[in-house]
């Protein structure tokens, strides 16, 4: 799995460089002659494919007909198309591994800078769990934590795991505001920049303010086209709810038992080129158990 992770990180970095290249002809020539970064990319993709196929073989050996994991469910439907199953494994890892890690990293960075928010979260969590088991918070309890949900959304507004994304127009089209988009045009949107636009979020756009998501104490989402962290329209992220509940479960378990102090202080963050927002050098923190 460590080899898989390294190959995944390499592929993400090199594909992002492709996307940011001012002239695509350069990487296309490298691919044609199999040199430099394109050769390295091909090697990393080969490693990813090999290990993904090994995961599928292991699942077959263990049996999948009674399994409840996502791969087993897909294999029950389509077990004779290894390429499809391989792509499913890679898609789930790409969508769920780096994005959740990125979202949780920036979340604890912002919590470290806002102790009032931590205290308010702990009050809400304690109120929901009451005399329950803190080690086994269930799905229904997570749904009741509106403030925790608001803190997550506010964190993702300022630090979306996917900072920019592009779509290509298959046919001539017209956007809702009347803008004509011709066939094969690349349209790029930038959730990181949009989360910092005064025209969308008002003059306090730079403030970490979970309360902006609450109405009468209940979480109220924004228009997805103003907040495209999970995309919008017919292309809303399929794993959106799973990712949010996964992050909430981690956050609740950590916040209840630990204090997280980020050590970078006020140093400006630098991101590594990649498909997801990864902080260069990681985020150093001191974690201490609460008494």
């Amino acid at each position: 799995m460590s080899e898989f992770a390294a190959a995944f990180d390499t592929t993400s970095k090199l594909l992002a460089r492709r996307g940011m290249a001012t002239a695509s002809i350069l990487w296309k020539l490298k691919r044609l002659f199999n040199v430099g970064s394109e050769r390295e990319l091909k090697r990393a993709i080969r490693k990813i494919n090999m290990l993904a196929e090994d995961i599928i073989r292991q699942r077959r050996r263990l049996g999948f007909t009674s399994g409840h994991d996502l791969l087993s469910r897909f294999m029950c439907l389509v077990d004779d198309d290894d390429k499809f199953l391989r792509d499913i494994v890679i898609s789930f890892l790409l969508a769920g591994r780096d994005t959740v890690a990125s979202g949780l990293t920036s979340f604890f960075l912002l919590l470290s800078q806002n102790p009032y928010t931590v205290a308010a979260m702990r009050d809400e969590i304690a109120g929901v769990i009451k005399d329950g088991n803190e080690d086994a918070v269930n799905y229904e309890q997570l749904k009741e934590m509106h403030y925790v949900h608001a803190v997550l959304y506010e964190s993702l507004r300022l630090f979306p795991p996917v900072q920019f994304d592009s779509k290509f127009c298959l046919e001539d089209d017209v956007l809702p505001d009347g803008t004509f988009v011709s066939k094969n045009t690349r349209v790029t949107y930038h959730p990181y920049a949009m989360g910092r636009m005064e025209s969308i979020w008002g003059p306090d756009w730079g403030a970490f303010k979970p309360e902006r998501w609450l109405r009468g104490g209940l979480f109220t989402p924004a228009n997805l086209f103003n907040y495209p962290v999970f995309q919008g329209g017919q292309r809303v992220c399929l794993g959106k709810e799973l990712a949010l509940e996964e992050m909430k479960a981690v956050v609740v378990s950590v916040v209840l038992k630990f204090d997280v102090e980020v050590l970078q202080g006020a140093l400006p963050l630098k991101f590594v080129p990649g498909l997801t927002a990864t902080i260069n050098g990681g985020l150093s923190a001191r974690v201490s158990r609460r008494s």
Side-chain angles (χ1 to χ4, degrees), residues 56-70:
I56 296 167
R57 283 194 296 271
Q58 287 184 37
R59 176 54 59 193
R60 281 204 180 101
R61 284 198 297 269
L62 293 171
F64 58 85
T65 53
S66 61
H68 297 293
D69 59 278
L70 289 169

Side-chain angles (χ1 to χ4, degrees), residues 98-113:
D98 293 351
T99 51
V100 169
S102 173
L104 287 172
T105 300
S106 55
F107 182 90
F108 284 106
L109 166 67
L110 290 167
L111 279 198
S112 181
Q113 299 169 349

Side-chain angles (χ1 to χ4, degrees), residues 125-182:
I125 295 168
V128 170
I129 295 177
K130 296 177 183 175
D131 297 327
N133 183 1
E134 293 183 357
D135 294 322
V137 179
N138 60 46
Y139 176 68
E140 293 303 322
Q141 290 172 323
L142 290 175
K143 283 173 61 177
E144 294 181 45
M145 299 177 187
H146 291 268
Y147 186 77
V148 173
H149 205 84
V151 178
L152 263 176
Y153 261 65
E154 183 70 348
S155 171
L156 294 172
R157 174 181 74 86
L158 292 169
F159 293 104
V162 180
Q163 295 184 339
F164 67 94
D165 198 1
S166 298
K167 308 295 178 188
F168 287 87
C169 197
L170 289 176
E171 303 292 343
D172 290 351
D173 205 349
V174 178
L175 296 180
D177 67 351
T179 302
F180 174 75
V181 184
S182 61

Side-chain angles (χ1 to χ4, degrees), residues 68-248:
H68 297 293
D69 59 278
L70 289 169
L71 177 58
S72 293
R73 289 171 183 263
F74 274 103
M75 291 177 75
C76 286
L77 295 173
V78 186
D79 186 37
D80 58 350
D81 189 341
D82 280 14
K83 182 179 182 300
F84 173 78
L85 293 172
R86 182 201 69 193
D87 291 347
I88 286 293
V89 170
I90 294 171
S91 295
F92 278 124
L93 286 167
L94 179 63
R97 172 183 174 266
D98 293 351
T99 51
V100 169
S102 173
L104 287 172
T105 300
S106 55
F107 182 90
F108 284 106
L109 166 67
L110 290 167
L111 279 198
S112 181
Q113 299 169 349
N114 295 273
Y116 168 81
T117 301
V118 180
M121 285 177 60
R122 285 173 176 159
D123 287 343
E124 180 184 63
I125 295 168
V128 170
I129 295 177
K130 296 177 183 175
D131 297 327
N133 183 1
E134 293 183 357
D135 294 322
V137 179
N138 60 46
Y139 176 68
E140 293 303 322
Q141 290 172 323
L142 290 175
K143 283 173 61 177
E144 294 181 45
M145 299 177 187
H146 291 268
Y147 186 77
V148 173
H149 205 84
V151 178
L152 263 176
Y153 261 65
E154 183 70 348
S155 171
L156 294 172
R157 174 181 74 86
L158 292 169
F159 293 104
V162 180
Q163 295 184 339
F164 67 94
D165 198 1
S166 298
K167 308 295 178 188
F168 287 87
C169 197
L170 289 176
E171 303 292 343
D172 290 351
D173 205 349
V174 178
L175 296 180
D177 67 351
T179 302
F180 174 75
V181 184
S182 61
K183 180 180 178 179
N184 295 326
T185 299
R186 177 182 177 179
V187 180
T188 299
Y189 63 100
H190 208 299
Y192 183 90
M194 291 176 68
R196 289 163 161 73
M197 290 176 64
E198 185 173 343
S199 59
I200 297 177
W201 302 103
D204 63 346
W205 64 266
F208 180 66
K209 189 178 176 183
E211 291 74 19
R212 74 173 80 241
W213 298 93
L214 299 173
R215 300 287 184 275
L218 301 178
F219 174 79
T220 305
N223 185 317
L224 288 178
F225 294 103
N226 289 336
Y227 184 81
V229 173
F230 295 99
Q231 306 194 55
Q234 297 180 4
R235 301 298 182 190
V236 173
C237 174
L238 291 174
K240 173 185 174 183
E241 298 303 326
L242 174 63
L244 287 170
E245 294 308 312
E246 183 180 357
M247 292 171 71
K248 281 172 73 175

